[in-house]
Amino acid sequence: MGGEVKRIESIKNMAVFQEFRWASSVRDGGNNIAEFKKINILYGRNYSGKTTLSRIFRALETGSISDKYISPEFKLSFDDGSNATPNSLNSHGQVVRVFNEDFVRDNLRFIVDDEQTINSFAILGEDNAKLEEEIEKHEAELGSEEDRSGLLGDLLGAEDKFKEARKTHGDKLSELEGKLRDKANKAGTGIKHNKSFGDANYNVPKLKTDITAVTRDTYSPLTDEQVGKFHDLLREEPKPEIPESSPFNLQYSVIASKAKELIEKKIQASDPIQELLNDAALATWVRTGRGHHQGKRDQCAFCGSDLPPDLWEKLDKHFNQESEEFRQALDNLLGTIESERSRVPNLLKIKNSDFYSNFTTDLDFLVEQLSTQSTSYCAGLDSIKEQIEHRKDDIFTPLEFDEPESFEDALNAVRDSFEQVRNESNQFTASLSADQSEARAALRLHEVHTFINDIKYEGECTAIDTLNAAMGKAEEAKNTAKEKVDSKRAKINELKAQLKDESKGADRVNDYLNNFFGHQSLSLKAIEENPEDVSSGYRFEVTRDDKKAFHLSEGECSLIAFCYFMAKLEDIETKGNQPIIWIDDPISSLDANHIFFVYSLINAAIVKPKNFLQLFISTHNLDFLKYLKRISNDYKGKGNKRIKIREFFLVERSGDASQICLMPGYLKNYVTEFNYLFHQIYKCATAESIDDGNYHEFYNFGNNARKFLEIYLYYRYPNGIEGDDKLLKFFGEDSIPAIFTDRVNNEYSHLCGVFERGASPIEVPEMKTVAQQIISKIKDDADQYSALLQSIGVKDDLLEKDFNKTQEAG
């Protein structure tokens, strides 16, 4: 666990940090998310939130956070992938040391109440050479992270191998997960978006469930024919219910029976005319002619001869009532046959469009059968018809009825088959939704089966399992190496505990006071709590000229507190453990010399000997920031590669909320508040509108403008002119801009006499006008104005462009 801190991912409900998000705030010029480095310098004005940040880090040191915060939230991420939150303050695995006002209050109660003492601490003693020799031996075996030697070197190597194995495994796993993610829900090609079998809620977990299903031995892949049928099924829309077809009520049996009866029936004339009996054609001709002559003519219409008087009587005896009735029966049967034959084409209408596509094959077969059987049925009727007509032509001669093969049952069987298909289709409508769901599931699994074969899923999983096993072994080796390091450190601490000497802690503080700050008279004194009990311990007192000191100045308090912190970095709990160090504004109430000495002490005791894992220094003092720029930015990394280890940040407050961002180039490069204030005014002067991105510039405009004009006018008129007179002199004879500027500066900077301004909306147009008036007057000195623009990284003067556009429009 642990490592260097990469980011403060988020802060919520902690003083001026209410909804801070690192990823949206701390970005470089290329819009890339920046991160902490080995040495981090943070600049911010008073009340901007620097101490709040230090309290987050102190919570990592003490394991608790102030109960004054209501529901505080924060998250720190380390370079090894671990995180720290208010719920996991003790799991980061790093030694953390923080200097801030809480450290001073907890350890140096004397500074708050001179009746109190200062907490003592133990550093290594100087009298036990044998123990020291043993400690040196164990420390040599422990080795150094810097040189990657000894057990620490082994641990670093094991950690590197573990990180590499974890990265290799993670990359391979991520690669497979990416393929699964794309297959599950990538726009256009993912299963989620497939119109046939997609699922609006389909995701990677569902895909993995499907993969489990298709890799079982019980899964059978679909054939191309099955896939086609399932797609056809999914294209089906629910169809209306198909009504029952009308029964055929075929008359073939009745007709055949009647035909047999009539064709084979015997009849005879009362007094037959032999010649007519012998010649059926003649008999037909006579019978027909009888109808044209009897009761109509006396002469033959064919030959013109007179008709004999007894002709009609002879013919009546030949064509008697029985034969005529028989003839009528034959005609009636022929009509029945014709009627039956005309019914056949309309017995059954089969429309494929009424059915689902999966019934097409069956329907086509039924159409073919219907046509075949109908043709055969009609042929049978035609045969009967032909035999009836033959009997009709020779009515007095019985014939033997040749009954054709009956296709009545075959036709009825076609209807029965149709009814079966119709019922199945209607049932299919009822089950269509469920069947389509099954089809979608089958097609989806088929798609998944094809996918895992294409990407060689089984081989990928095997490779990932192999890499996971290798990562497990690497982690086991790392843990073993860490156990050896922890065991060795425990042994060293055990030996150091036998050497610790609390009296030496005060001596180390005095070394810093005397050697770096020249305070010969001010010192710490170690006093035994109980001189008669050696194990009773010590307490520290501040003395001046060997007497207990009272009424220390604020500067003296700051020096003692910081020297105490620096000396405490060498106590037995800290020394050699490469701590993460946060130093919050250590130069309170110190003069310029002492500020430089504070920087020198940090550089000499922490930075140069590299007695830290990561260093954070926050300040509001530009002089101190100027010195901090001198801290080396080069560091020899792996393979002697020189890397940049320093980063500068700005803690900026807008109203009631603060944010962290990368320090602007001009503030980092020039280290002067004058450039910073000029940039803020210039941005107000050139802003087209107020939004979330520039709101704080207008909110802080009053303070920024007041401080800028104080600095600018002090050097422009260093002869004691009063403030209002300086404004009038600066803006010239026209006093309106000066009065306008003074009102904005005072009302928005101090709320002078206008308390309600604190609850009123910001007058953006007023501020922009004032900002433009200030910039306009500065431009009178073209060289200085150009230099100021260059210092804030502005190449093209936006105000000049606006002025040119206005001139062109005019």
Side-chain angles (χ1 to χ4, degrees):
M1 295 291 289
E4 294 184 12
V5 178
K6 286 172 55 179
R7 310 173 191 167
I8 304 176
E9 299 288 355
S10 61
I11 311 175
K12 185 176 181 180
N13 299 329
M14 293 192 69
V16 291
F17 292 100
Q18 291 300 309
E19 290 286 350
F20 171 73
R21 292 288 183 274
W22 182 281
S24 60
S25 179
V26 190
R27 291 180 176 263
D28 60 20
N31 202 34
N32 302 303
I33 300 176
E35 295 180 347
F36 286 131
K37 293 187 178 177
K38 197 167 189 67
I39 298 176
N40 304 278
I41 312 300
L42 297 92
Y43 172 74
R45 297 184 184 180
N46 286 330
Y47 315 113
S48 62
K50 299 186 303 299
T51 300
T52 300
L53 297 177
S54 72
R55 283 178 173 142
I56 291 175
F57 276 72
R58 184 160 167 79
L60 302 183
E61 177 182 1
T62 63
S64 64
I65 195 163
S66 172
D67 57 7
K68 300 298 189 295
Y69 295 120
I70 300 175
S71 302
E73 298 179 22
F74 62 80
K75 180 179 179 181
L76 278 71
S77 61
F78 294 84
D79 61 6
D80 68 346
S82 62
N83 298 304
T85 68
N87 297 322
S88 60
L89 291 175
N90 296 312
S91 61
H92 53 83
Q94 287 298 336
V95 176
V96 181
R97 296 292 181 258
V98 176
F99 175 81
N100 63 4
E101 61 185 46
D102 298 337
F103 170 85
V104 174
R105 183 179 59 252
D106 292 345
N107 292 278
L108 295 98
R109 293 184 294 274
F110 172 87
I111 290 176
V112 179
D113 180 0
D114 55 21
E115 294 298 324
Q116 299 293 319
T117 59
I118 296 175
N119 290 349
S120 63
F121 59 89
I123 61 176
L124 291 180
E126 299 174 349
D127 300 326
N128 197 323
K130 185 177 180 180
L131 281 176
E132 287 180 347
E133 184 179 339
E134 190 173 355
I135 290 171
E136 288 178 3
K137 173 189 171 185
H138 285 292
E139 285 182 337
E141 292 174 356
L142 179 63
S144 164
E145 289 185 355
E146 184 70 24
D147 299 331
R148 300 179 72 87
S149 61
L151 295 177
L152 284 172
D154 294 342
L155 175 58
L156 290 175
E159 287 178 339
D160 289 344
K161 289 181 180 178
F162 170 65
K163 289 177 182 177
E164 182 179 354
R166 183 175 61 185
K167 183 179 185 303
T168 303
H169 172 264
D171 289 347
K172 190 67 174 176
L173 184 61
S174 296
E175 179 185 350
L176 179 58
E177 288 291 329
K179 292 178 181 178
L180 296 180
R181 188 165 50 252
D182 288 347
K183 189 61 183 177
N185 50 34
K186 185 178 181 180
T189 59
I191 291 177
K192 177 179 182 178
H193 305 285
N194 189 291
K195 294 181 180 179
S196 296
F197 49 79
D199 174 3
N201 298 315
Y202 201 77
N203 53 24
V204 173
K206 289 186 177 181
L207 175 58
K208 290 181 177 179
T209 300
D210 286 346
I211 290 174
T212 301
V214 300
T215 51
R216 292 193 183 106
D217 294 337
T218 54
Y219 177 75
S220 298
L222 299 181
T223 64
D224 292 342
E225 182 181 358
Q226 288 174 311
V227 170
K229 285 185 177 180
F230 281 135
H231 279 296
D232 291 341
L233 175 61
L234 292 177
R235 284 191 287 269
E236 297 288 4
E237 295 289 339
K239 293 183 179 294
E241 183 176 357
I242 305 170
E244 181 182 2
S245 63
S246 301
F248 287 176
N249 294 323
L250 298 174
Q251 300 299 309
Y252 185 86
S253 298
V254 175
I255 290 172
S257 176
K258 187 68 174 175
K260 178 177 177 61
E261 175 191 341
L262 294 179
I263 289 172
E264 295 181 349
K265 184 177 182 180
K266 296 180 179 181
I267 64 169
Q268 57 186 7
S270 301
D271 189 5
I273 301 172
Q274 189 62 40
E275 188 177 6
L276 295 181
L277 292 176
N278 296 335
D279 191 342
L282 178 62
T284 300
W285 182 80
V286 170
R287 185 176 178 278
T288 303
R290 182 184 176 199
H292 292 294
H293 290 79
Q294 189 174 4
K296 298 178 182 178
R297 290 177 175 272
D298 293 330
Q299 295 176 330
C300 176
F302 180 71
C303 67
S305 300
D306 291 333
L307 297 175
D310 60 348
L311 177 63
W312 306 121
E313 183 180 356
K314 289 180 179 180
L315 291 177
D316 285 341
K317 289 179 180 179
H318 182 83
F319 298 107
N320 57 19
Q321 183 177 354
E322 181 184 8
S323 67
E324 288 305 308
E325 288 177 354
F326 182 68
R327 186 182 300 279
Q328 185 62 47
L330 291 174
D331 286 339
N332 289 343
L333 184 55
L334 287 174
T336 300
I337 291 173
E338 191 60 35
S339 175
E340 179 71 359
R341 200 181 193 291
S342 65
R343 285 179 59 234
V344 171
N346 299 311
L347 285 175
L348 181 63
K349 295 295 184 183
I350 299 176
K351 294 174 61 178
N352 284 20
S353 60
D354 291 342
F355 293 80
Y356 295 100
S357 60
N358 55 316
F359 294 106
T360 300
T361 302
D362 294 338
L363 292 174
D364 290 345
F365 177 75
L366 285 178
V367 169
E368 182 181 347
Q369 287 295 304
L370 179 63
S371 175
T372 301
Q373 302 305 330
S374 295
T375 300
S376 299
Y377 185 78
C378 288
L381 291 176
D382 290 344
S383 176
I384 295 174
K385 176 183 177 183
E386 183 178 353
Q387 292 183 68
I388 292 173
E389 288 176 340
H390 284 169
R391 178 60 193 271
K392 185 180 174 184
D393 289 341
D394 190 3
I395 199 168
F396 293 108
T397 304
L399 301 175
E400 182 180 354
F401 180 62
D402 181 13
E403 184 173 351
E405 181 183 354
S406 174
F407 290 93
E408 186 174 11
D409 291 342
L411 264 178
N412 284 326
V414 172
R415 177 181 179 269
D416 292 341
S417 297
F418 173 81
E419 283 299 303
Q420 182 179 350
V421 173
R422 181 186 69 84
N423 288 328
E424 289 177 3
S425 180
N426 288 340
Q427 291 172 5
F428 188 83
T429 300
S431 63
L432 179 61
S433 177
D435 291 342
Q436 286 183 332
S437 294
E438 291 179 5
R440 289 190 187 93
L443 287 173
R444 189 185 70 249
L445 291 179
H446 176 71
E447 181 77 5
V448 172
H449 182 264
T450 303
F451 164 69
I452 63 173
N453 286 334
D454 289 344
I455 68 168
K456 297 179 175 57
Y457 179 78
E458 186 176 350
E460 293 280 294
C461 291
T462 301
I464 289 171
D465 290 341
T466 301
L467 293 175
N468 187 53
M471 182 179 69
K473 289 182 179 179
E475 184 175 21
E476 185 178 341
K478 182 200 73 170
N479 292 337
T480 300
K482 187 176 186 303
E483 288 174 3
K484 290 180 180 179
V485 168
D486 292 343
S487 176
K488 184 62 67 176
R489 280 177 170 163
K491 181 63 177 177
I492 291 172
N493 290 335
E494 178 186 344
L495 295 172
K496 284 182 177 179
Q498 300 175 38
L499 287 174
K500 69 178 183 178
D501 188 346
E502 290 185 341
S503 66
K504 299 300 180 183
D507 294 342
R508 185 54 53 89
V509 174
N510 295 334
D511 288 343
Y512 290 149
L513 282 173
N514 297 332
N515 294 335
F516 281 88
F517 301 101
H519 275 274
Q520 303 294 332
S521 59
L522 198 63
S523 63
L524 280 192
K525 184 177 182 181
I527 301 174
E528 290 185 84
E529 292 285 0
N530 184 355
E532 297 180 0
D533 182 2
V534 179
S535 63
S536 63
Y538 289 79
R539 57 185 171 85
F540 292 166
E541 283 187 351
V542 181
T543 62
R544 181 182 280 116
D545 297 327
D546 294 327
K547 296 179 182 179
K548 184 173 181 178
F550 296 95
H551 309 302
L552 297 179
S553 68
E554 289 186 11
E556 288 175 326
C557 289
S558 295
L559 285 180
I560 292 174
F562 186 64
C563 290
Y564 176 87
F565 174 77
M566 293 297 295
K568 204 169 186 303
L569 292 177
E570 299 183 45
D571 66 11
I572 60 172
E573 287 82 14
T574 308
K575 188 175 181 180
N577 286 328
Q578 295 294 101
I580 295 174
I581 301 173
W582 185 294
I583 300 174
D584 179 41
D585 246 346
I587 43 77
S588 176
S589 301
L590 298 182
D591 59 27
N593 283 336
H594 284 149
I595 290 172
F596 174 76
F597 292 144
V598 167
Y599 156 74
S600 299
L601 179 54
I602 293 173
N603 200 38
I606 298 177
V607 178
K608 285 187 176 180
K610 297 183 174 62
N611 290 330
F612 67 100
L613 177 65
Q614 199 172 12
L615 177 62
F616 298 83
I617 305 174
S618 58
T619 184
H620 75 289
N621 186 283
L622 287 168
D623 287 333
F624 189 42
L625 178 62
K626 177 179 65 178
Y627 293 129
L628 293 175
K629 278 185 56 184
R630 301 182 184 182
I631 291 178
S632 174
N633 193 28
D634 286 330
Y635 182 78
K636 188 182 295 185
K638 296 180 182 179
N640 291 328
K641 182 180 179 181
R642 311 300 295 189
I643 58 175
K644 301 297 183 182
I645 63 167
R646 194 180 62 185
E647 189 60 274
F648 289 81
F649 297 88
L650 184 65
V651 185
E652 196 167 30
R653 178 172 178 173
S654 301
D656 294 332
S658 287
Q659 63 179 357
I660 305 170
C661 57
L662 289 178
M663 187 177 290
Y666 57 82
L667 190 57
K668 182 168 63 175
N669 297 330
Y670 298 102
V671 194
T672 167
E673 193 173 23
F674 184 68
N675 301 79
Y676 172 76
L677 295 171
F678 172 77
H679 194 200
Q680 299 303 303
I681 295 170
Y682 183 82
K683 286 195 285 188
C684 288
T686 56
E688 295 183 3
S689 62
I690 187 170
D691 54 37
D692 290 342
N694 63 8
Y695 177 83
H696 64 282
E697 293 155 9
F698 286 95
Y699 193 96
N700 295 325
F701 177 78
N703 271 322
N704 291 338
R706 175 181 59 78
K707 292 189 71 176
F708 176 80
L709 288 174
E710 284 178 358
I711 299 170
Y712 183 80
L713 295 180
Y714 173 79
Y715 287 102
R716 188 177 179 92
Y717 307 112
N719 55 350
I721 302 176
E722 292 297 325
D724 291 346
D725 293 336
K726 286 182 180 180
L727 283 175
L728 291 172
K729 189 173 181 64
F730 177 57
F731 283 105
E733 295 180 1
D734 184 1
S735 62
I736 294 178
I739 296 171
F740 195 30
T741 300
D742 187 50
R743 182 175 77 85
V744 171
N745 289 354
N746 280 283
E747 291 187 11
Y748 287 115
S749 175
H750 301 296
L751 305 180
C752 295
V754 193
F755 182 74
E756 64 275 10
R757 277 289 189 188
S760 301
I762 296 175
E763 299 289 349
V764 175
E766 290 185 16
M767 293 184 176
K768 183 171 181 178
T769 299
V770 171
Q772 290 176 338
Q773 289 171 347
I774 294 172
I775 297 296
S776 178
K777 290 302 295 180
I778 295 174
K779 289 174 69 174
D780 289 346
D781 187 337
D783 290 340
Q784 185 187 40
Y785 182 65
S786 176
L788 282 170
L789 289 180
Q790 290 178 15
S791 76
I792 63 173
V794 174
K795 296 181 180 179
D796 298 322
D797 185 2
L798 298 178
L799 287 179
E800 187 66 29
K801 286 185 176 182
D802 290 343
F803 175 77
N804 292 337
K805 288 181 181 179
T806 304
Q807 292 293 98
E808 291 172 4

